[in-house]
Amino acid sequence: MNAQQISTGILSALMACTGGAIMIITASERFGFSSAALISWLFIVYVVGGAMNLWLALKYKIPFAGAHSITAAAFLSTSAAQASLPQLAGSYIMAGALVALLGFTGVFHKLLELIPRPLIDAMLAGLILHYVADIVPVFQEAPLVAALSILGFFIAPKLSKALPPLLGVLLFGLAGLLIVHKFPAIAPTAFSLPQLVMPSFSVTGFFSLALPLAVLVLSNDLAVALAALKKNGFEPPANKAVAASGLGTAFAGLFGGQAINIGGMMTALCSSEEAGDKPGRYKAAVVSSVLVMAFGFFAWKFIAIIQLLPDYFIAMLTGFSLVGVLLGSLQAAFKETSYKYSILFAFVISISNVSFFGISSAVWSLLIGTIAAKLLKEGNSVQQAPQNTLNSAG
């Protein structure tokens, strides 16, 4: 194992253990979960998620890396605030079962093609837009912290292309906090094992939560990861990878975890040239997975530290962690000139965060956007990428 593999693995793990953890903590606070439920959530998605990706990387000598779906966590915090933990658990299990079924049958890429990719991007952009917008009020509440954070956002990539901007935000922002904020004493926390949740299943839960969760995991994690692997010269067992992520997600639901899957950007990083020679790139994924597992095991300690941070700082970190996702989604959605009104409908409906008949705005945005595209005959000339690149069987 060389320095390139180790450094790339560390950076990959940071993607999951910074923005991903903050998204889960934010969602947990909106749900009103106890500390024990939050620790259970973090433990299961990081320890088991890291272990699954570690197993895949070692078994196939392919750089599979990941833990859980950050976009799924973002969706939950906006669309599922009224759901109980048993209802959430049931929805997670149904989402995992759906993903696993698509993997075992080998039709995942065909089914995903029914929804135009630009509409999925527009829906995701609408869901997370307000998180990024929440950065702006911080300049009024804590101008020094906000200024230093945005300075770190631009400086970190300048120092090294391998450094994620969020790392600069975190380090520079903490420096500002040390100047202007008085930290309270660390509250004592105790280690606890994941808590088994008795799931509650419903038709509303399937359509309002499970279905959009499955779509997000498939399109924004699995499709991206598998496309990146093929782009970098690997031949991943696509069906088996999808099935493993589905089974992992269903298992995580039993303990209150929203997803366990192969990560899109984490796998893209570990499979890139930054991880060194191609035969050894899977070792970067091994490093990433081990660090992710360690983070999950000690999550009960990290929670106590993160909870010392003021609300505006958490909001700012959450926003910055999603800047790249928002930018990529907006660019991917609106660059398709053959889609016009359907993308706009999907984007605006998703932003509204209004549910009808118990069905979330995310589902309505995809449904109405897809119907509009068909009625208006939009997108006929657009190729559906990256789904069509994933035809290799597992």
Side-chain angles (χ1 to χ4, degrees):
M1 192 171 292
N2 58 38
Q4 277 184 297
Q5 295 158 358
I6 294 173
S7 62
T8 303
I10 292 173
L11 292 173
S12 172
L14 282 174
M15 289 183 181
C17 300
T18 51
I22 290 169
M23 286 305 308
I24 288 178
I25 292 172
T26 301
S28 176
E29 290 176 350
R30 296 199 176 197
F31 294 146
F33 285 173
S34 65
S35 295
L38 174 57
I39 292 172
S40 178
W41 187 351
L42 289 168
F43 186 101
I44 201 70
V45 296
Y46 282 100
V47 174
V48 180
M52 185 195 77
N53 281 278
L54 177 63
W55 175 75
L56 288 171
L58 291 173
K59 177 177 176 62
Y60 295 107
K61 297 296 186 291
I62 290 177
F64 288 109
H68 64 89
S69 174
I70 298 175
T71 54
F75 162 75
L76 288 169
S77 61
T78 60
S79 303
Q82 304 303 318
S84 66
L85 183 54
Q87 291 171 332
L88 289 171
S91 298
Y92 301 157
I93 293 170
M94 287 188 289
L98 180 56
V99 172
L101 178 64
L102 297 178
F104 284 124
T105 58
V107 299
F108 126 80
H109 60 280
K110 295 180 181 178
L111 190 59
L112 201 58
E113 286 173 0
L114 295 177
I115 305 173
R117 174 70 202 206
L119 297 186
I120 297 175
D121 289 317
M123 179 269 287
L124 181 59
L127 281 176
I128 64 180
L129 178 63
H130 80 275
Y131 285 105
V132 179
D134 284 344
I135 295 173
V136 179
V138 181
F139 281 87
Q140 184 178 35
E141 189 168 357
L144 178 62
V145 175
L148 287 174
S149 297
I150 200 167
L151 183 65
F153 182 84
F154 290 111
I155 285 181
K158 295 291 184 181
L159 296 176
S160 171
K161 292 182 179 180
L163 290 178
L166 186 61
L167 182 60
V169 172
L170 182 61
L171 295 178
F172 279 66
L174 285 174
L177 273 183
L178 290 173
I179 297 173
V180 303
H181 182 71
K182 184 176 181 180
F183 289 92
I186 298 178
T189 56
F191 172 78
S192 62
L193 291 172
Q195 299 179 337
L196 189 65
V197 179
M198 185 62 65
S200 173
F201 302 98
S202 68
V203 174
T204 300
F206 177 80
F207 286 104
S208 185
L209 295 176
L211 188 58
L213 280 171
V215 170
L216 287 172
V217 170
L218 288 167
S219 62
N220 293 286
D221 291 292
L222 296 175
V224 173
L226 295 172
L229 287 169
K230 290 182 71 69
K231 176 184 176 182
N232 289 311
F234 295 93
E235 291 297 331
N239 294 335
K240 292 178 181 178
V242 172
S245 293
L247 292 175
T249 296
F251 177 77
L254 293 171
F255 300 91
Q258 91 284 9
I260 285 176
N261 53 265
I262 300 161
M265 295 308 298
M266 294 172 69
T267 297
L269 178 60
C270 290
S271 64
S272 69
E273 293 181 356
E274 294 177 359
D277 294 336
K278 181 184 169 184
R281 291 177 193 173
Y282 78 94
K283 296 178 182 178
V286 170
V287 172
S288 175
S289 297
V290 170
L291 292 176
V292 161
M293 292 170 64
F295 177 84
F297 188 82
F298 292 103
W300 61 286
K301 284 291 187 183
F302 292 120
I303 289 172
I305 297 172
I306 293 173
Q307 289 177 335
L308 295 178
L309 302 174
D311 291 341
Y312 67 79
F313 190 73
I314 294 294
M316 187 183 64
L317 287 179
T318 301
F320 274 115
S321 71
L322 293 172
V323 164
V325 178
L326 176 63
L327 183 60
S329 297
L330 287 173
Q331 289 175 334
F334 289 99
K335 76 177 181 181
E336 300 291 2
T337 57
S338 61
Y339 288 94
K340 294 181 181 179
Y341 293 105
S342 56
I343 286 180
L344 181 62
F345 293 160
F347 182 59
V348 172
I349 293 170
S350 182
I351 289 174
S352 72
N353 194 30
V354 175
S355 62
F356 293 98
F357 308 109
I359 299 175
S360 67
S361 61
V363 177
W364 286 116
S365 71
L366 292 177
L367 179 61
I368 294 175
T370 301
I371 293 173
K374 296 293 184 183
L375 293 176
L376 298 173
K377 298 186 183 337
E378 293 184 345
N380 292 334
S381 63
V382 178
Q383 293 182 344
Q384 298 300 311
Q387 295 96 301
N388 290 350
T389 65
L390 306 179
N391 294 330
S392 61

